[in-house]
Amino acid sequence: KNDEARTPLIIDTDAGVGLTAAYMASADSRNKVVAFCLASDLRMLAEQFRSKASISNLEISQAVDLQKWRIDTLYNNNDCACARADLICLNANKGREYLLKEMDAWMPVAHRKTIFVLKQIRASAQSAEAWRAVKQRQDVTTTMDLGDNGLVFLDPDYIRRHYKLRI
């Protein structure tokens, strides 16, 4: 499939009540957004919000289904193009080892233009350590520290550099 014609895929692995995921889905109806909620009550709230807002391009799943979704998407999907994520949101506040494992687990669905959004990079000492570790990864070319969140770029054509927004 032509890369221009494929549906952009956005994955939020720690969606809470799904407001950010709903915004990303409603911002452009061509996006497919998959949001994973950590708790069943949060998932119910996210589903209610999605339903009331009539957002059809948002899929909400329980976080326990995350590994199964990854496997099903990667290995059981005939259309490999839709198994390519353009934006992947991860929570840095779960610690260095967790974040590095999660990034590794999502790399098979990433491509050279994928952007990782890391939430809460300054929420704790462990999230700050996780952010520093991500910046050292060989597959990361550019990062942008936006304060509470960080952007991670994989594009090998980018200059290896780490930016920090100063306000």
Side-chain angles (χ1 to χ4, degrees), residues 144-162:
M144 292 184 182
D145 181 336
L146 305 176
D148 292 334
N149 300 307
L151 301 178
V152 177
F153 298 86
L154 307 175
D155 194 330
D157 294 333
Y158 289 177
I159 296 171
R160 187 163 181 81
R161 189 156 181 195
H162 305 290

Side-chain angles (χ1 to χ4, degrees), residues 9-28 31-37 42 45-47 49-50 53 55 57-60 87-91 116-120 146 148-151:
L9 176 60
I10 299 169
I11 299 168
D12 189 350
T13 65
D14 189 12
V17 295
L19 291 178
T20 302
Y23 171 75
M24 291 186 285
S26 62
D28 189 337
N31 294 339
K32 176 180 180 179
V33 180
V34 180
F36 293 93
C37 297
L42 294 179
L45 285 171
E47 279 291 351
F49 180 76
R50 183 191 66 78
I55 303 171
N57 57 330
L58 172 59
E59 176 186 322
I60 298 173
L87 187 71
I88 301 172
C89 302
L90 301 173
N91 189 336
F116 281 87
V117 177
L118 304 186
K119 302 175 191 177
Q120 301 183 339
L146 305 176
D148 292 334
N149 300 307
L151 301 178

Side-chain angles (χ1 to χ4, degrees), residues 40-90:
S40 58
D41 55 340
L42 294 179
R43 181 178 182 218
M44 285 178 15
L45 285 171
E47 279 291 351
Q48 289 172 2
F49 180 76
R50 183 191 66 78
S51 179
K52 285 181 183 173
S54 300
I55 303 171
S56 60
N57 57 330
L58 172 59
E59 176 186 322
I60 298 173
S61 297
Q62 190 82 31
V64 295
D65 300 332
L66 193 135
Q67 184 67 25
K68 181 186 179 324
W69 185 91
R70 230 180 346 233
I71 290 167
D72 288 350
T73 301
L74 289 174
Y75 303 111
N76 300 333
N77 194 329
N78 294 330
D79 182 11
C80 289
C82 80
R84 290 292 182 210
D86 300 291
L87 187 71
I88 301 172
C89 302
L90 301 173

